[in-house]
Amino acid sequence: MMTIQARIWRIVLYTFLFAITAVVLFPILWMVLTSIKPEREIYSFVPKWLPTRIDWSHYRVVWFEKNFWLYFLNSIFVASVTALVSTVVATLGGYALARFSFRGRTVLSTAVLMIYLVPIILLALPFYLALSAIGLFDTRLGLILAVSTYAVPFAVWVLRGFFSQIPPEIEEAAMVDGASRLGALYWVVLPVAVPGILATALFAFILAWDDYLFALIVISSDDLRTLPLAIGLLAGDYLVSDGQMMAMGTITTLPIAIVYLVFQRFFISGLTSGSVKG
């Protein structure tokens, strides 16, 4: 039976967690509510918590007149392909670092993580020069390659730790039965590593979805802009109202929030499992 002191501590803990959650979620809630308020209520002297009526005009203007539907599709495409490319490369790289013994493996594993710690701004000029030299400047493929090279190192590190926890005997048994190394990886190891692989894919997707600096460096055409880049450029437009800015923020934030809530279990289990060993 729980003592009075334990109940008090539980109440204090829950109160503290509720307060932290409220502080974190308040700006998002205010953004969503502001995006559906009529213009006069946004600029009223006395702030209104809830709109007297729901006004979707900000979303209509942003979506159709500001071409946000195009930027949204660009972000979906870039983030999805980046997640796919990063996950495939990280799966093969993480498996190789976890299973194969070769000279310098530990140094290489550490170097992979250190690359991820390099500030993005230091990579700006090299990426600009490299993509310009090979003709991929101002292309979706160039942006995908740029973001993927930043997402892959951390993804390799996570999957290396995850594959290290899978007993090698299960794939050895498959190879004894006649399977190749790649066959054992595909049919035996990958089904067990699904949480880690999904976590890696989600990490790469979110990183590409939120990317601003690489998009600013690589993309110059309006029809190739992603959501963060479009918001950054439209923020200086005096014709864009606060309600429209909140609508743009909501459109950009909600898809990631929904993806995270749906795959939260895989994301947390994948990252925590991969950080235990390796």
Side-chain angles (χ1 to χ4, degrees):
M1 186 175 180
M2 186 178 299
T3 62
I4 297 178
Q5 185 177 6
R7 290 181 178 178
I8 294 176
W9 275 111
R10 174 169 291 188
I11 293 174
V12 172
L13 176 62
Y14 286 167
T15 302
F16 176 75
L17 293 177
F18 177 80
I20 294 296
T21 303
V23 170
V24 172
L25 294 181
F26 175 77
I28 300 177
L29 179 62
W30 186 258
M31 176 182 68
V32 175
L33 292 177
T34 303
S35 68
I36 57 176
K37 288 180 180 178
E39 199 76 21
R40 55 183 175 79
E41 294 185 10
I42 296 177
Y43 300 107
S44 64
F45 182 77
V46 179
K48 294 182 179 295
W49 290 95
L50 297 175
T52 54
R53 65 178 180 85
I54 296 179
D55 185 0
W56 299 104
S57 62
H58 303 306
Y59 287 92
R60 286 195 296 270
V61 171
V62 166
W63 191 257
F64 296 106
E65 296 183 16
K66 303 298 182 182
N67 290 332
F68 227 62
W69 64 272
L70 178 60
Y71 308 141
F72 185 85
L73 293 179
N74 289 336
S75 287
I76 289 288
F77 179 79
V78 171
S80 299
V81 177
T82 300
L84 178 62
V85 172
S86 301
T87 303
V88 171
V89 174
T91 298
L92 297 176
Y95 179 79
L97 290 176
R99 286 291 187 263
F100 300 144
S101 296
F102 53 89
R103 182 175 298 178
R105 184 180 68 169
T106 303
V107 176
L108 179 60
S109 301
T110 305
V112 166
L113 184 61
M114 294 301 294
I115 293 174
Y116 176 72
L117 300 179
V118 175
I120 300 181
I121 191 64
L122 297 181
L123 305 176
L125 182 59
F127 266 111
Y128 173 79
L129 297 176
L131 293 176
S132 298
I134 61 179
L136 291 180
F137 177 75
D138 196 25
T139 62
R140 294 187 183 91
L141 179 58
L143 179 58
I144 290 169
L145 291 177
V147 181
S148 296
T149 55
Y150 195 69
V152 164
F154 182 76
V156 169
W157 179 266
V158 171
L159 285 180
R160 173 185 177 271
F162 200 90
F163 284 131
S164 297
Q165 293 192 8
I166 300 176
E169 290 79 12
I170 62 174
E171 57 204 272
E172 291 174 359
M175 288 187 288
V176 169
D177 291 337
S180 63
R181 170 68 72 172
L182 289 178
L185 171 63
Y186 182 79
W187 294 108
V188 178
V189 179
L190 291 187
V192 181
V194 166
I197 294 174
L198 281 178
T200 302
L202 286 173
F203 164 78
F205 185 89
I206 293 173
L207 184 67
W209 184 272
D210 293 337
D211 171 71
Y212 174 76
L213 185 57
F214 279 130
L216 182 63
I217 297 169
V218 176
I219 301 300
S220 61
S221 300
D222 179 71
D223 58 344
L224 296 180
R225 291 175 183 171
T226 54
L227 290 176
L229 181 59
I231 292 177
L233 295 176
L234 289 174
D237 189 347
Y238 69 94
L239 295 177
V240 177
S241 66
D242 290 344
Q244 294 171 13
M245 286 299 300
M246 296 300 103
M248 289 189 287
T250 303
I251 293 174
T252 305
T253 304
L254 284 185
I256 289 298
I258 294 173
V259 168
Y260 179 77
L261 290 176
V262 172
F263 297 100
Q264 178 183 12
R265 177 169 59 91
F266 296 102
F267 190 77
I268 295 176
S269 64
L271 291 182
T272 54
S273 297
S275 63
V276 174
K277 186 178 179 180

